Every structure is written in C-alpha cells, then in structure tokens.
C-alpha cells in the first residue's frame, strides 16, 4: 500500500532512540553519565527532526532526501534501525540503503529529467507556429492531437441475456466507475492515518479496511476480465496496471501469514485517480 512507498510502513517509529546506549525504550529511564563526563543527566527517548512517524513527516523527510540535502544522514539513520521501541544499532538494517538510493534515482534524477523533458517538449511545439494565425495554429494542434489518439477497443455487449451481459453492463456503468474512484479515495485517506504509537484498535481498523478494499478491487478486476475477455482486457494499459497492482496486493496479503514482518508492495491506486 501507499505508506510503504513513502517509507511510513518501513520506518514507522523506528528512528527514535535513547540518548544513552541502552537496549530499548523500557531501559531508557533514570540518569546516566555522558562519555568523558561525570555529570549525570536524565535518559530520554527522542525522535529526530527527520522521521517517518506520520504521513506528513514522511513526505517532508523524503523531500529533503530528494533535494539531496543531508540525505546521507537520513539514510544512515535508516540503516541503523532495528524495531519499534528498540535502540538503533549501527548498520543493523544496512540493506535499507537500497530504498534511499532507488528513491533518489526515481524521485530526484528521474522526475527532474521528466520535468525538463516536458518543458523541452512544449518549447518544441511552439517552433514553427509562432508566426501562424490563431486558426492556423489550432489546425496544426488538432492534426497533432489526431495523430496521438488511440481508439479504445471494447468488446460489443453480449446479445444473450445472462451473467456475462449483466457483468458487462455493470463494469461499464458510470455508477460502478464512481464507486471504484470513491473506494480508492477512502482507502488512500485511511492509509494516510497511520502514525507512530497507534492503538491496537486503530492498527486493526487500518488492516481490515485495507483488506476490505483489496477485495473490492479484486472483484472489479474479475468483473472486467469476464466482461471484456482476457484478450481485450489486457489490451488496455490501465487494465494491465490494475491487474498487476491487485495481484501484488493479494500476494502480499497471503505472504503476511507466512512471514513475521509484513512486506507489502505499494499498490499505487492513487496515481490511477
């Protein structure tokens, strides 16, 4: 789900640490003498300014990483993470560095290049039309748009009444499409409420809600497969995207029963909205 892409599901409440070298949060009490000093000070369980304790803080931290401003420090914090309420240890989770490297490649270099490419493309579009009259410029633009149009390929509505025809009518109805869009929006909002120190009830609510919407999206996928036939269904790039995301969500839901730590692939439904 979305919070794993933003680091929230990976580093939630794991950047916290004690000012003294103790095993966990429960041991971070009392006083201690700092190294090289005889002055006693209170132990405290602290949270660094850059953390992933909620969706807002996660985005701010990732913006700092994408800007390449002190990103290495944040990565080292991630590599030292252990578990919630457990003192970080140096390079305990060193493979988390891959997450930050991939994010910089995609979030910083790749997206910046896309932004520059869009600007360059718009500049290229203006070449040759600066000295045209408005009607001439509109004609050139309409010709360009016609060349880019790809006609959708849909299966004709089945003539015989039955399950296939009913599924076809529902899958193509505006009401069903709006229901799916609302489900995506609600699912995204619920996932964004994840934060550090959640109650057990809140955690169960998020998990059950996410599983409920996963079932809805799986039913949507099956209905479109039945309505359009697999060949026409997979012809559309968005349908292929949906099928991949739903399959990943179902696979990770099944894997969560066999692994101790839940590893979830981001089902990026928000980008489909």
């Amino acid at each position: 789900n979305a919070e794993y892409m933003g680091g929230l599901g990976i580093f939630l409440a794991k950047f916290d640490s004690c000012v003294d070298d103790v095993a966990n949060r429960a041991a971070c009490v009392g006083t201690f003498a700092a190294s090289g000093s005889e002055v006693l000070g209170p132990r405290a369980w602290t949270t660094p300014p850059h953390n992933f304790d909620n969706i807002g803080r996660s985005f701010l931290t990732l913006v700092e990483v994408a800007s390449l401003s002190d990103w290495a420090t944040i990565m080292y914090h991630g590599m030292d993470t252990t578990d919630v309420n457990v003192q970080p240890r140096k390079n305990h989770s060193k493979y988390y560095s891959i997450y930050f490297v991939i994010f910089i490649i995609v979030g910083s270099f790749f997206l910046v290049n896309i932004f520059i490419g869009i600007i360059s493309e718009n500049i290229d579009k203006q070449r040759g039309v600066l000295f045209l009259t408005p009607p001439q410029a509109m004609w050139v633009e309409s010709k360009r748009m016609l060349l880019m149009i790809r006609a959708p390929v849909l299966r004709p509505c089945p003539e015989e009444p039955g399950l296939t025809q009913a599924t076809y009518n529902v899958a193509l109805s505006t009401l069903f499409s709006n229901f799916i869009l609302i489900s995506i929006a609600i699912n995204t909002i619920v996932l964004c409420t994840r934060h550090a120190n959640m109650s057990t009830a809140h955690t169960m609510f998020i998990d059950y809600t996410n599983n409920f919407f996963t079932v809805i999206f799986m039913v949507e996928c099956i209905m479109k497969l039945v309505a359009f036939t697999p060949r026409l269904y997979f012809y559309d790039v968005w349908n292929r995207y949906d099928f991949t995301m739903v399959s990943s969500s179902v696979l990770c839901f099944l894997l969560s029963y066999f692994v101790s730590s839940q590893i979830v692939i981001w089902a990026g439904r928000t980008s489909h909205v």
Side-chain angles (χ1 to χ4, degrees), residues 66-84:
S67 67
L68 303 181
S69 173
D70 201 27
W71 70 273
T73 301
I74 301 175
M75 182 184 69
Y76 292 146
H77 274 279
M79 294 168 61
D80 296 342
T81 57
T82 51
D83 204 348
V84 178

Side-chain angles (χ1 to χ4, degrees), residues 1 58 68 88 143 150 175 191 234:
N1 42 41
S58 298
L68 303 181
K143 293 289 288 184
R150 181 184 181 184
L175 183 63
L191 291 176
F234 288 109

Side-chain angles (χ1 to χ4, degrees), residues 176 179-180 183 211-221:
F176 182 74
F179 170 74
I180 294 299
S183 298
N211 294 337
F212 171 74
F213 283 113
T214 298
V215 172
I216 291 179
F217 300 141
M218 182 175 64
V219 171
E220 176 205 9
C221 181

Side-chain angles (χ1 to χ4, degrees), residues 178-223:
N178 292 337
F179 170 74
I180 294 299
L181 289 177
I182 293 173
S183 298
I184 294 171
I186 296 175
N187 190 23
T188 303
I189 293 172
V190 171
L191 291 176
C192 288
T193 63
R194 187 182 293 272
H195 59 273
N197 303 319
M198 288 190 303
S199 64
T200 303
H202 192 177
T203 302
M204 293 179 62
F205 169 74
I206 292 178
D207 291 339
Y208 286 139
T209 302
N210 189 41
N211 294 337
F212 171 74
F213 283 113
T214 298
V215 172
I216 291 179
F217 300 141
M218 182 175 64
V219 171
E220 176 205 9
C221 181
I222 294 174
M223 288 179 61

Side-chain angles (χ1 to χ4, degrees), residues 57-131:
R57 181 59 64 178
S58 298
F59 284 154
L60 289 176
T61 301
L62 290 179
V63 167
E64 186 174 354
V65 172
S67 67
L68 303 181
S69 173
D70 201 27
W71 70 273
T73 301
I74 301 175
M75 182 184 69
Y76 292 146
H77 274 279
M79 294 168 61
D80 296 342
T81 57
T82 51
D83 204 348
V84 178
N85 294 331
V86 177
Q87 181 77 353
R89 299 296 175 188
K90 186 175 181 179
N91 292 334
H92 179 272
S93 304
K94 58 184 178 181
Y95 296 111
Y96 281 154
S97 60
I98 299 175
Y99 170 84
F100 293 96
V101 171
I102 293 177
F103 181 82
I104 288 176
I105 293 174
V106 176
S108 183
F109 301 144
F110 184 69
L111 292 182
V112 168
N113 287 334
I114 290 179
F115 180 73
I116 295 174
I118 293 174
I119 295 177
S120 177
E121 182 182 359
N122 287 321
I123 293 175
D124 290 338
K125 286 182 179 179
Q126 300 303 320
R127 293 178 180 176
V129 299
L130 292 178
F131 301 102

